[in-house]
Each structure stands twice: as structure tokens, then as C-alpha cells.
Amino acid sequence: MRFLPHRTGISLAAVIFLSAFTLGNSEEASAPSSYGAKEALTLEDFIQKVLERNKAIQARLMAFHTSRSLLRAENAFYEPALVSSSEYVDRQRANTIEIERSLRSGGEFIERNQNYTAAVEFRTPLNSRVRVGAGSRKLKNNIQRTVIVDLDAEFEANVGVSIEQPLLKGAGPAAAFAPMRLAARNADAAFQEYRRQMMQIVAEAEMAYWQLHFAQEEYRLSTESVTVAQTVTDDSRSRFDAGRGSRLDVLEADAGLATRLSRQSEARQKWVEALNRLASYFGSSAQEGGIEYVASDNPESSDVNLSFQGGERTALAMSPDRLRAKALVEQEKIRVAYAKNQRLPQVDLKASAGASGLGYDYSTAWRDVRGGQFPAWTISLEMRVPLLGGVRERNELRAARQRMRQAELNAADVETQLSTGLDTAQQRVDSSLSAARNYKSVVEFRDNLLATQIESAQIGRTDARTVLEAEQELFAARLGQLQSEIEHQRALLELQIITGNLLRVRKIELPMKDLEKQSWRWANKGGESLDLLDYTPASVDEIASEEVISFEEEQPKPYVRPWHFYQRRKR
């Protein structure tokens, strides 16, 4: 075949230029399968749905609230307890000869007593145990009338305070506040894990959106390529039937059409997969919703001014991996301090002071107490020293130091990974931008080459095979350009994840206290939708910003001073 009829060249030109004109208008492409109504979906609307409905985000947020609840539970260390008891004793026993000589009760002792006690127990920041209480007893037995004939019962009353204070092992704030401080660091780690999970999901969701955009474009370009191949095949058969073409030309045109039909079928399946992957991020599916989502935004490639020093400073201050590793190091330091305290001998100081009274009724007994007529106080010192030097405590301290060293090594490794990953991510941003621009030049060249081949075919200087090859090269160049633009978006997302500012540039970064406050009702009252964050598309100018958000001041307090707490409660 040495030339194409003028009619064929015109039809090919119309198809090719129509394809160039509709590049990027993916909403006009035919649906890969029947889902129902189409819905144009912007990136902003899609990510907003993800933030509201994604179950993985909600699960991580619930884990954060769990850690905060456990922290508040550890603050119950200071909560005082009211201890009260009432006891009725009805007892009868035989007396020994020795007891009978002193009691002279007729060989047996019978008593019916009523005992009542009430006390408040609490702990102090020094890990002391304090008990303040009072008690009364009604004593009735068979020996009272041997002394006073008309005595019905005796009444006892007492008040007192007792304290048990560790002096070495278990003494001081380091031991008393260790559980609270561990819970606080655990809450820090849970908050950073929430941030890390949020960044991963947002980044993956944005990539799912761009992959749907790519699948739409690939399917549309494949459909247009099939149209071109079909036109060439029809013209080749017409010329062969008219005796102006060869059988080989027809076979080559048929092969080209079959290849493009196969590629169109694969593109259709990729579109379906991308569509369902997109819907899965907000807990749905395209088939279930009966909606064909269409990605209406296009990826943009722009220059980004990057600074390694600024990015490294931002990463060290905002990276959730680094901050989580730091919280774990602090956690192990607390355990080491506690293990050191447990290596000390146990020496406890116990003291008590009070007053008691005795009378023929409760009022006279309490009168003695108020008058302080029968004071009593005790003080004792108890010591417990392991004879083998504390085998358990010694090995627990060694293990705590080893875990702390392990945590420090992990933190150092995270910083190293951040530094190397930051350099790799910045280089990837530059290379992907360069690739996108190079592909743009290739597309322009292939577009001009195809137009030239069509003009040559119109005057008989080239054949249909050459036109199809030029169209195939333009198709590959367009897909390559689109893929490089999407890879540029992926590189930008990776850079933002490494520096830890992905949430900040999208205006969905919340400090720990604000996050807890704004999501408290959702966590405690239930509900499926998380109406908490308003997504804003990232600006390229903000991605490389050296602004740093410090999380150091947001560490939860390790404990609440009991006296301040209870004074506020009284007011």
C-alpha cells in the first residue's frame, strides 16, 4: 500500500485532533461498566469524605482516647477512699482455769458486741499512706454485772491518724508518680501514632484519587486509539476489495485493532479497580452506592523550593515517628528510675496518734475523747533487706537499662532514616518534576509527528502502518506524561510524610488537647461520621515551608496536685 485515499486521511485527522482536543476531559469518557449516575468528585470533596468516614482513622482516634482515659485512671492515685465497717459479735466460749480465776464468770464467757468504724484513706506525693478515722464499740458481756450489778453495757470511742511512710524503697515522687508518667508517655505515643496513621491514610487516599484519574485517562485514550485503528482497518479492507491494497496491509491493520481492543479491555478493568479502591477509603463501594465517581481534578506539576536544613529541622520537630520514638525513650527512663528505687532496702516508718474514751453510753465515751483524757501514740520502724542483695531487683534494673538503650538506638535510627529519606524524597521531587516536563516535550513532538504523518498519508507518501505507529507512540507519550505527573504528586506526599507536615499544609493538624476536646463527644457518645476536620488542598508554596509546630508543650501533666484538685471541687 503506497498511499491512502484522501477520504481516509481526513477521517484519521478528525479522530486524532478530536483526541488531542479532549485530553484531560475524563468526564466525557464512557463508563467502564454500569454503576448508575455519574458524580464529579474533586480531591477536596473526596478527602473530606475520607476524614469523616474512614474506619482506620476512627480506630486510631479511639486508641488515642483510650490512652487518655488510662492516663486519667492513673491520676486516681490521689483519690481518697472512705472505709467504713459495722460488726455484730455474738460469741460464747469456755474459760480455762487461768482465765476463770481472773474473770470469775462461771466457767464461760459470753459477749454480744457492736463495733463501728469509719476512716478516710489517701496517699501523698511522697507515696505515704495516711488513714484518718474514728470508731465506737458497744460491749456487753456476762462479767460486767459481777463488778457493777446494774451495768447494762460499756461504750468505747476512739479517733486517730496513722501514717505509713517508705523511707528508701518506694519513697518519693519517682516511685509514686511512675505509673502516671508512664501513662502520660503512652498517651504521647498514641497521639503520634494517630498522626502517623492519619498521614498515611490521607496520602494513600490522594494517590487513589490520582490513580482513578490515570485509569480514566488511560481508558479514554484507549477508546480513541481503538477508533483510529478501526478507521484504518476499514479503509485497508476497502482498498483490498478494490484491488488497490495487499492482504498483508489488512492483516497488519487487524492486528493493530486487536491489540488496541485488548488494551481497552485492560484499561476498563483498571478503571473498575481504581473506582472501587477510591470508594473503599470512605467505607463504601461504587457498586453498592450505584454511583460512578469521576475524578475531576488534574495533577499539577510546579517548582518547589526545597531546603535540606529546613526540611530536616521540620522533620525532627514534627515527624510522628521521631516524636513517638522520643516518647518511648522517656518511658524507658521512667522505668529505669523506678527500678533504681526498687534496688534500695525497704525501710518503712509507721506512726499513729489518737485518743480514746470509755463510758456508760456513747456521749460519755466521746466526752473523754474530746477532752483528750486517754491519749495514745506509737512509732515503729520496719526494715526488710534481701540477704542475697536483691536478685530480682538487680536483674530488673539491668533489663530496664537495656530497654532504655534499645529505645535510644531506635530513636537514633529513626533520625538517621529521616535524614536519608528526606534527601531521597527531595531528589525524587526534582526528578519527577523534570520527567513530567520532559514528557510534555515528547508529547508535543509526537503530536506534531502524527500530524505530519497524516499529511503525508493524504498525499500518498506513507501508509496506514506508519500512521498507527505514530499514534501508538503518541498514546505512550501521553500516558507517560500523566504517569510522571502522578509520580510527582506521590513524591510530594512522601516528602510531606517524612517532614511530618502533611496534616499542617492541609489545615487538618490539631494539637493533642484540641483533638481530645473536639472528638470527646464522638468517642463517648458514639456515631459513625467524624465531623471534626475541614480539609484544604495543599498549596505547593506551603509544602517546603520551614514553619515548625512544636509538640513539646503539649505533653500531658504527669499528675494533678491533690490539694488544688480538691479545693476546686469544694468551691
Side-chain angles (χ1 to χ4, degrees), residues 5-23:
H6 184 66
R7 177 183 57 81
T8 303
I10 294 177
S11 62
L12 281 174
V15 170
I16 296 300
F17 285 111
L18 177 63
S19 172
F21 178 75
T22 58
L23 181 61

Side-chain angles (χ1 to χ4, degrees), residues 469-502:
E469 289 177 351
E471 185 276 333
Q472 172 63 25
E473 292 171 350
L474 176 60
F475 173 85
R478 284 174 173 170
L479 284 186
Q481 179 189 5
L482 184 58
Q483 183 65 44
S484 63
E485 291 175 346
I486 293 177
E487 287 301 318
H488 181 64
Q489 299 299 320
R490 187 192 303 274
L492 290 176
L493 289 171
E494 291 179 356
L495 176 62
Q496 294 167 67
I497 289 177
I498 290 176
T499 57
N501 68 346
L502 184 142

Side-chain angles (χ1 to χ4, degrees), residues 175-420:
F177 299 147
M180 299 181 197
R181 290 170 175 159
L182 287 174
R185 300 290 83 74
N186 186 62
D188 291 346
F191 175 63
Q192 297 305 329
E193 185 63 25
Y194 157 79
R195 292 182 65 238
R196 188 188 70 83
Q197 186 78 1
M198 176 75 85
M199 290 183 189
Q200 290 290 341
I201 292 175
V202 170
E204 292 173 0
E206 288 194 11
M207 284 309 304
Y209 183 88
W210 297 128
Q211 288 168 358
L212 175 61
H213 176 80
F214 179 84
Q216 291 172 179
E217 289 300 303
E218 184 178 12
Y219 179 73
R220 184 183 63 80
L221 293 175
S222 299
T223 302
E224 294 171 356
S225 182
V226 168
T227 303
V228 173
Q230 185 65 58
T231 303
V232 172
T233 300
D234 293 342
D235 290 341
S236 298
R237 286 177 179 171
S238 298
R239 287 192 301 275
F240 177 74
D241 293 340
R244 293 179 296 173
S246 65
R247 180 67 178 173
L248 180 60
D249 291 336
V250 175
L251 293 177
E252 288 179 346
D254 287 340
L257 176 60
T259 300
R260 285 160 174 78
L261 287 172
S262 176
R263 187 172 61 197
Q264 183 189 38
S265 178
E266 293 176 356
R268 179 186 295 111
Q269 180 59 30
K270 290 179 182 179
W271 190 354
V272 172
E273 293 175 358
L275 194 61
N276 284 300
R277 188 183 309 115
L278 181 89
S280 68
Y281 276 95
F282 49 84
S284 181
S285 67
Q287 187 66 42
E288 178 184 354
I291 299 175
E292 178 194 338
Y293 296 105
V294 179
S296 58
D297 288 346
N298 297 316
E300 298 179 358
S301 300
S302 303
D303 289 320
V304 181
N305 296 322
L306 302 175
S307 168
F308 180 81
Q309 290 76 15
E312 186 175 33
R313 183 168 60 254
T314 303
L316 292 177
M318 296 185 62
S319 170
D321 292 330
R322 191 258 177 182
L323 293 176
R324 182 177 181 275
K326 184 178 179 181
L328 295 180
V329 171
E330 295 299 322
Q331 211 173 37
E332 296 306 326
K333 288 181 179 179
I334 295 171
R335 290 193 173 99
V336 169
Y338 182 78
K340 287 181 178 179
N341 178 271
Q342 297 301 296
R343 284 276 291 142
L344 299 174
Q346 184 169 351
V347 180
D348 297 336
L349 175 65
K350 299 179 181 181
S352 64
S356 61
L358 179 65
Y360 302 120
D361 53 33
Y362 284 120
S363 62
T364 56
W366 281 107
R367 188 183 307 121
D368 289 345
V369 172
R370 288 193 298 269
Q373 309 222 348
F374 303 100
W377 61 273
T378 62
I379 185 169
S380 64
L381 198 64
E382 181 180 292
M383 183 172 65
R384 184 188 301 270
V385 180
L387 296 181
L388 299 181
V391 177
R392 174 184 294 275
E393 291 80 3
R394 182 173 62 250
N395 286 279
E396 286 179 347
L397 176 58
R398 183 182 294 114
R401 286 172 172 166
Q402 291 169 347
R403 284 195 300 265
M404 183 180 70
R405 181 57 180 161
Q406 177 186 357
E408 291 174 343
L409 292 173
N410 289 336
D413 180 65
V414 168
E415 293 185 4
T416 302
Q417 296 297 330
L418 286 177
S419 181
T420 57

Side-chain angles (χ1 to χ4, degrees), residues 52-299:
E52 293 176 358
R53 305 179 190 176
N54 187 271
K55 301 303 181 184
I57 292 178
Q58 295 179 6
R60 183 49 56 188
L61 182 58
M62 191 63 71
F64 164 71
H65 276 278
T66 300
S67 68
R68 299 293 290 177
S69 297
L70 292 175
L71 174 59
R72 288 189 290 271
E74 290 298 337
N75 281 330
F77 169 87
Y78 285 116
E79 183 178 9
L82 174 63
V83 182
S84 63
S85 66
S86 60
E87 181 183 30
Y88 176 75
V89 179
D90 189 343
R91 184 163 46 209
Q92 181 177 354
R93 71 171 186 267
N95 294 333
T96 63
I97 296 177
E98 179 182 2
I99 295 176
E100 179 60 28
R101 287 192 63 182
S102 62
L103 296 182
R104 298 184 182 276
S105 59
E108 60 181 12
F109 178 72
I110 302 172
E111 63 177 344
R112 292 181 177 86
N113 302 335
Q114 297 178 22
N115 304 327
Y116 304 96
T117 61
V120 175
E121 293 182 351
F122 59 91
R123 299 176 68 179
T124 71
L126 297 178
N127 209 18
S128 310
R129 294 180 180 272
V130 181
R131 178 186 177 105
V132 180
S136 62
R137 302 175 64 192
K138 180 181 178 181
L139 307 176
K140 189 174 181 179
N141 52 65
N142 63 337
I143 65 174
Q144 291 167 332
R145 291 182 179 273
T146 63
V147 179
I148 301 176
V149 177
D150 58 348
L151 182 62
D152 183 54
E154 294 177 281
F155 295 84
E156 287 184 348
N158 63 82
V159 295
V161 57
S162 64
I163 182 172
E164 182 177 345
Q165 173 63 58
L167 299 181
L168 295 176
K169 182 178 182 179
F177 299 147
M180 299 181 197
R181 290 170 175 159
L182 287 174
R185 300 290 83 74
N186 186 62
D188 291 346
F191 175 63
Q192 297 305 329
E193 185 63 25
Y194 157 79
R195 292 182 65 238
R196 188 188 70 83
Q197 186 78 1
M198 176 75 85
M199 290 183 189
Q200 290 290 341
I201 292 175
V202 170
E204 292 173 0
E206 288 194 11
M207 284 309 304
Y209 183 88
W210 297 128
Q211 288 168 358
L212 175 61
H213 176 80
F214 179 84
Q216 291 172 179
E217 289 300 303
E218 184 178 12
Y219 179 73
R220 184 183 63 80
L221 293 175
S222 299
T223 302
E224 294 171 356
S225 182
V226 168
T227 303
V228 173
Q230 185 65 58
T231 303
V232 172
T233 300
D234 293 342
D235 290 341
S236 298
R237 286 177 179 171
S238 298
R239 287 192 301 275
F240 177 74
D241 293 340
R244 293 179 296 173
S246 65
R247 180 67 178 173
L248 180 60
D249 291 336
V250 175
L251 293 177
E252 288 179 346
D254 287 340
L257 176 60
T259 300
R260 285 160 174 78
L261 287 172
S262 176
R263 187 172 61 197
Q264 183 189 38
S265 178
E266 293 176 356
R268 179 186 295 111
Q269 180 59 30
K270 290 179 182 179
W271 190 354
V272 172
E273 293 175 358
L275 194 61
N276 284 300
R277 188 183 309 115
L278 181 89
S280 68
Y281 276 95
F282 49 84
S284 181
S285 67
Q287 187 66 42
E288 178 184 354
I291 299 175
E292 178 194 338
Y293 296 105
V294 179
S296 58
D297 288 346
N298 297 316

Side-chain angles (χ1 to χ4, degrees), residues 500-560:
N501 68 346
L502 184 142
L503 302 180
R504 181 187 64 82
V505 299
R506 288 160 177 78
K507 308 298 188 293
I508 53 177
E509 180 78 88
L510 285 180
M512 183 188 300
K513 293 180 181 178
D514 293 344
L515 177 66
E516 181 183 16
K517 180 179 179 181
Q518 296 185 29
S519 60
W520 182 88
R521 181 175 297 275
W522 172 86
N524 291 276
K525 302 298 182 181
E528 297 182 358
S529 179
L530 183 60
D531 187 9
L532 176 63
L533 304 171
D534 293 326
Y535 174 85
T536 302
S539 171
V540 176
D541 296 334
E542 297 178 347
I543 290 177
S545 173
E546 297 184 8
E547 177 186 353
V548 175
I549 297 179
S550 176
F551 295 93
E552 300 298 330
E553 299 179 357
E554 297 173 6
Q555 305 293 342
K557 300 295 183 183
Y559 59 89
V560 179

